[in-house]
Amino acid sequence: LLLNKTLVIYESLWYNRSMEYIDLRKLSTEETKQIRRQVVRLKEMGKTGKEIEEIVGLRPSRISTNWTAYQREGEASFLREKTGRKPGSKMILSPEEQSEIREMIVETRPEAHGIPGCLWTLKKVCALVQKRYGKRMSDDCVSDYMRRRGLTSQRLVKRARKQDPKRI
């Protein structure tokens, strides 16, 4: 009898470890809202956290968080605000600086700003930002800024100097 109880406990622990939980971050707002409603309904029916975990597929800590939020806020707890950084916050360059950089890239060459070369590259734009505003930026960051402003990186087409387009 003791052996059977141990076996049942062991199987229960094993089941929980291999259980796949729902990742609420990957669901739409409406799907998340439905799952939270379901958790509350099951809790109100008297189901335990373990039973809800098996039915819904949420981690026990998430079930507890949802239930506590519902008790505190009621129906408003089903709709959570977006988390994370707000778009446009923590930008290295201000919108005015971004516009100035874009204009410089479109209208002038790097040589006009004391940067060697006749074509703009990400490294040259980084150098321009460093020189003009004293702010260091990575290539990826500059690429994101340029993409937001409607500019994209382009590679030169490599071809022979004496190539005759008519013969091709």
Side-chain angles (χ1 to χ4, degrees), residues 157-165 168:
V157 177
K158 294 181 181 177
R159 58 180 165 217
R161 286 187 199 172
K162 296 182 180 180
Q163 179 179 341
D164 184 9
I168 297 176

Side-chain angles (χ1 to χ4, degrees), residues 53-144:
E53 176 186 3
E54 291 174 7
I55 294 169
V56 179
L58 286 181
R59 294 185 183 283
S61 61
R62 182 62 56 203
I63 292 168
S64 175
T65 303
N66 288 335
W67 176 244
T68 306
Y70 176 74
Q71 288 176 318
R72 233 187 357 232
E73 303 165 24
E75 294 273 329
S77 69
F78 297 145
L79 288 174
R80 293 275 182 212
E81 289 186 23
K82 279 190 170 184
T83 58
R85 263 179 30 190
K86 303 287 184 253
S89 68
K90 305 281 185 181
M91 302 288 271
I92 296 171
L93 297 175
S94 69
E96 295 81 26
E97 292 170 336
Q98 291 177 41
S99 295
E100 286 176 23
I101 294 290
R102 185 188 190 287
E103 284 176 32
M104 285 184 234
I105 291 171
V106 171
E107 295 174 5
T108 63
R109 290 184 169 189
E111 298 161 334
H113 304 282
I115 301 169
C118 60
L119 294 176
W120 287 106
T121 63
L122 289 176
K123 295 233 184 278
K124 291 177 184 175
V125 175
C126 290
L128 176 66
V129 170
Q130 173 71 32
K131 192 174 186 179
R132 180 119 173 141
Y133 304 109
K135 298 177 181 179
R136 289 181 174 258
M137 295 176 69
S138 68
D139 292 356
D140 291 338
C141 188
V142 168
S143 178
D144 291 342

Side-chain angles (χ1 to χ4, degrees), residues 6-21 50 53:
T6 308
L7 185 61
V8 169
I9 291 170
Y10 178 75
E11 286 176 9
S12 169
L13 290 173
W14 176 255
Y15 177 73
N16 286 340
R17 284 188 193 136
S18 66
M19 182 175 180
E20 289 187 29
Y21 294 106
K50 196 74 151 160
E53 176 186 3

